[in-house]
Amino acid sequence: MKLFDDSKSPWVFLAPSLVLYGLYVLFPIVFTFYLSVTAWDGISSFPLPMCITSPETSCLSNFTELFEAELFWKSFTNNLLWLVFFGISPLFGLFLALFFHVKSNFASPLKTLLFMPMVFSLIVVGMIWSWFLQPGFGLVDTVLHLLKLLPPDQEFGLMTELGLAPNAGVILAAIWPHSAYCMILYLAGLSNLPKNVFEAALIDGANRWQLLWHVILPMLKPATIIVVIVTMIGALRAFDIVAIMTNGGPANSTNTLALYMYQETFVNFRYGYGASIAVVLFMISVGLILAYLRQIKKGET
Amino acid sequence: MEPRRPSWLFWLLALVLVLVWISPILATLLTSLKTLEELNQGLYWTFPKHWNLDNYIEAFVNGGFSHYFINSFIYTIPSLFGIIALSSLNGFVLSKLKFKGREKITLLFLAGMLLPFQILLIPVFYLSSNILGTYDSYLGVILFHIAFQLGFASFFMRNFMKSIPDSIIEAARMDGCSNLKIFYSVVLPLMKPAIAALSTLLFTWIWNDYLWALILIQSDELKPVTTALENLKGQWVSSYNLQSAGAIIAAIPPVLIFAFLQRHFVKGLTMGSGK
């Protein structure tokens, strides 16, 4: 290992990356925290904290306003819904990966077809599912009519209902490509498992469920950790598909924190307030990921 | 784990499953080949009476899609090369060179791939418009994509590199090679599967980006295919056949890349997630 000691070249090699990374990733994190205590409008050159420009306001007044805003809590609840229901995708992904983990050259074109939704832009996915869920002529209505679950003269519009229904439509659309991504990660995990595990367990008299529960799943844990974290982040930053399918509507019933943040910032030009939403979103993500990793660690000891 | 041998029942179930799974894509494909008259008769989910590519021609020529399509390539290709170049170098440094602070840098890259990007939104906009002057330019979007994907890409490359035995590098070092020479003549050729896998993912992600182009690009002539698609949705409100054609056009390049590199993709991903 001594041979590998080279005091300067690692930093020379890393330098361009660190400059870019620092400029576009690290600095922005700090700067968003700073902006969250300002009332920046996006135009004035450099914003100062609110409590300095007007001493009677608190520096945290963006946050007090945020926690009193109805739309914030609405969006927050929707993100919680996302966490729960978008969280189904790892199960689909695992099922598909286990099902398609077979020894045959013919399986690979089928796998390619299963990957397809993941390759599509979420904008495209959102457009497709919007047509599917159209009342009257959409595929969902067509199938309901065919199965006689809906009288021919009636329409069922998931996206135009009030309440939770439109959320179901948007999340369903998002589960589709994300399950494909989870499947890929699980397929990679499966092919990493030692080859003789299967036989050894079967010789020991384990049935298929015991095999899955006691042997395969524990060994897939590294893949599961990645899949769960990717899914949590995906649920929290849901934006594209909501923007294209509902733009938060009807009556803000599908708004998410990411969309709320975008609207306040780039539509209402309240950059400071938008930054405070981003900070809250960031804290929730970091908190969730750390809690999950701690839970994993606990399980290991 | 040894894969099982499939039976005829597997193939039957698999075929049904795949058909249901991709039915949204098939429906879009069928819709894109129909005329508006046919759609207005309510024949949404049937085969088109007359197969024609008029919608594609309409979208490509009159919808300006040819232009947006080229823009998407202008964003994706340089970003891809930039990320691959930097992250393979980083992967080598973080897995094969010993230096103080290595673990910290690795952790820094890992953390970058876990954060919700909303935290970057406003400062990146601020940086581009007020400091770097790269707002509303190809360069601004490309630089951001490179920086943003570096965390994931470097971590991925590092994991892959760990599966390459140290003895190969040691041997090159004995021959008197410098680190740079070792990197491009020994390490880089070995990284091909990982580069193929990473390129596939990155191409898809950058090509499909919507949000950052929305934030950093204002002029219509610089828009990529995703934001253009969103505009066209408003323009052709109920012309689902035209919208479908646009959606299919936007999806063709990543689908081709994926189909082309699929074999390398799963292999590279497997090795990349090994450690």
Side-chain angles (χ1 to χ4, degrees):
Chain A
M1 283 313 277
K2 210 173 150 206
L3 285 165
F4 286 43
D5 250 310
D6 193 322
S7 57
K8 280 202 192 71
S9 68
W11 295 105
V12 176
F13 290 161
L14 287 173
S17 299
L18 289 178
V19 168
L20 268 176
Y21 198 71
L23 197 62
Y24 279 106
V25 179
L26 301 180
F27 160 75
I29 297 175
V30 180
F31 197 50
T32 300
F33 272 86
Y34 173 76
L35 284 175
S36 73
V37 299
T38 71
W40 192 41
D41 55 4
I43 301 161
S44 47
S45 57
F46 190 81
L48 286 171
M50 282 180 284
C51 40
I52 291 175
T53 48
S54 48
E56 67 276 12
T57 26
S58 152
C59 258
L60 296 176
S61 65
N62 277 334
F63 292 94
T64 24
E65 187 189 338
L66 189 63
F67 294 134
E68 279 165 12
E70 206 181 312
L71 198 48
F72 168 77
W73 291 108
K74 179 80 223 160
S75 310
F76 179 75
T77 321
N78 284 340
N79 273 109
L80 290 184
L81 277 179
W82 267 83
L83 272 174
V84 174
F85 291 103
F86 191 63
I88 297 169
S89 355
L91 292 179
F92 280 137
L94 178 64
F95 168 77
L96 288 172
L98 287 170
F99 187 77
F100 280 91
H101 186 63
V102 293
K103 194 182 198 161
S104 165
N105 288 334
F106 298 111
S108 114
L110 289 182
K111 279 185 221 164
T112 308
L113 287 175
L114 287 172
F115 293 164
M116 279 305 128
M118 190 205 123
V119 179
F120 278 46
S121 155
L122 282 176
I123 298 305
V124 173
V125 172
M127 283 168 83
I128 295 177
W129 280 83
S130 296
W131 308 326
F132 265 47
L133 300 168
Q134 285 279 349
F137 56 75
L139 186 66
V140 174
D141 271 27
T142 311
V143 171
L144 288 177
H145 284 144
L146 261 171
L147 298 173
K148 304 258 187 283
L149 288 170
L150 192 72
D153 54 335
Q154 273 185 34
E155 291 183 348
F156 172 68
L158 193 65
M159 305 310 288
T160 47
E161 299 279 312
L162 285 176
L164 298 179
N167 273 308
V170 179
I171 297 173
L172 194 67
I175 287 176
W176 184 48
H178 191 67
S179 303
Y181 187 42
C182 294
M183 176 183 88
I184 290 177
L185 294 172
Y186 271 125
L187 275 175
L190 277 174
S191 46
N192 268 334
L193 300 189
K195 287 194 166 143
N196 47 14
V197 166
F198 226 55
E199 289 83 18
L202 286 174
I203 289 167
D204 287 348
N207 67 35
R208 289 202 165 259
W209 285 113
Q210 288 170 329
L211 185 71
L212 178 68
W213 196 251
H214 296 293
V215 182
I216 300 176
L217 282 185
M219 293 188 84
L220 278 179
K221 205 168 162 191
T224 304
I225 294 175
I226 297 173
V227 167
V228 169
I229 290 180
V230 168
T231 306
M232 286 197 298
I233 303 168
L236 287 173
R237 64 187 181 191
F239 174 82
D240 299 34
I241 207 154
V242 190
I244 194 87
M245 284 182 79
T246 63
N247 204 14
N252 287 319
S253 60
T254 55
N255 223 321
T256 58
L257 287 175
L259 193 64
Y260 181 43
M261 185 249 161
Y262 174 81
Q263 286 163 343
E264 286 295 343
T265 311
F266 296 102
V267 180
N268 298 339
F269 302 110
R270 300 189 62 200
Y271 287 70
Y273 188 62
S276 70
I277 305 172
V279 166
V280 171
L281 197 57
F282 179 79
M283 300 305 261
I284 297 173
S285 307
V286 172
L288 261 181
I289 291 170
L290 288 182
Y292 176 65
L293 290 179
R294 178 174 291 182
Q295 199 62 35
I296 298 274
K297 266 228 167 105
K298 229 186 194 172
E300 270 167 5
T301 50
Chain B
M1 191 177 80
E2 183 79 348
R4 64 182 190 279
R5 275 188 187 284
S7 63
W8 66 270
L9 187 66
F10 165 82
W11 291 113
L12 186 73
L13 286 174
L15 219 59
V16 173
L17 196 72
V18 168
L19 271 179
V20 172
W21 190 251
I22 62 160
S23 61
I25 300 171
L26 292 178
T28 311
L29 207 57
L30 290 177
T31 308
S32 74
L33 296 166
K34 288 176 187 171
T35 59
L36 199 56
E37 288 78 55
E38 206 177 336
L39 284 186
N40 286 339
Q41 290 164 20
L43 304 170
Y44 272 83
W45 311 104
T46 53
F47 277 97
K49 279 191 203 118
H50 314 282
W51 299 77
N52 70 74
L53 295 171
D54 289 357
N55 298 321
Y56 287 89
I57 296 164
E58 174 77 17
F60 223 75
V61 180
N62 297 342
F65 253 65
S66 51
H67 190 73
Y68 303 128
F69 200 68
I70 294 167
N71 282 343
S72 281
F73 276 109
I74 298 178
Y75 290 119
T76 311
I77 304 291
S79 307
L80 193 64
F81 275 96
I83 304 164
I84 296 292
L86 290 176
S87 67
S88 48
L89 197 55
N90 293 345
F92 166 62
V93 172
L94 295 176
S95 64
K96 296 293 176 211
L97 300 184
K98 224 175 107 188
F99 62 98
K100 221 178 138 208
R102 185 170 82 165
E103 299 311 314
K104 284 200 181 93
I105 300 284
T106 309
L107 207 64
L108 200 66
F109 282 133
L110 176 65
M113 67 190 253
L114 298 178
L115 58 102
F117 51 68
Q118 281 80 13
I119 196 87
L120 312 179
L121 218 49
I122 302 172
V124 168
F125 169 77
Y126 181 88
L127 210 62
S128 306
S129 55
N130 292 23
I131 297 174
L132 302 174
T134 52
Y135 178 71
D136 204 28
S137 73
Y138 289 123
L139 184 68
V141 176
I142 292 169
L143 280 179
F144 172 76
H145 278 312
I146 296 178
F148 184 58
Q149 299 292 354
L150 262 180
F152 167 74
S154 303
F155 192 67
F156 182 92
M157 286 300 201
R158 167 194 169 268
N159 286 351
F160 181 85
M161 278 297 301
K162 281 205 150 183
S163 62
I164 292 173
D166 288 351
S167 54
I168 297 177
I169 286 137
E170 235 163 307
R173 185 77 44 99
M174 298 287 228
D175 289 346
C177 292
S178 68
N179 276 339
L180 193 65
K181 182 118 197 281
I182 293 174
F183 172 69
Y184 70 74
S185 59
V186 180
V187 173
L188 214 50
L190 291 171
M191 280 177 131
K192 268 184 202 154
I195 290 174
L198 192 60
S199 304
T200 318
L201 273 179
L202 291 173
F203 186 95
T204 309
W205 288 343
I206 298 169
W207 180 274
N208 289 336
D209 164 59
Y210 167 72
L211 179 66
W212 293 100
L214 194 68
I215 302 289
L216 296 175
I217 294 296
Q218 194 180 29
S219 329
D220 188 61
E221 63 263 29
L222 294 181
K223 279 184 175 153
V225 83
T226 40
T227 49
L229 203 58
E230 213 267 326
N231 287 353
L232 293 171
K233 194 187 166 214
Q235 219 172 306
W236 300 325
V237 179
S238 54
S239 306
Y240 295 120
N241 53 342
L242 281 175
Q243 289 184 31
S244 301
I248 298 285
I249 292 173
I252 288 173
V255 166
L256 283 183
I257 296 266
F258 218 84
F260 203 64
L261 291 176
Q262 202 245 16
R263 184 188 297 260
H264 303 284
F265 177 68
V266 178
K267 196 176 150 212
L269 203 64
T270 304
M271 299 172 88
S273 64
K275 294 274 150 29

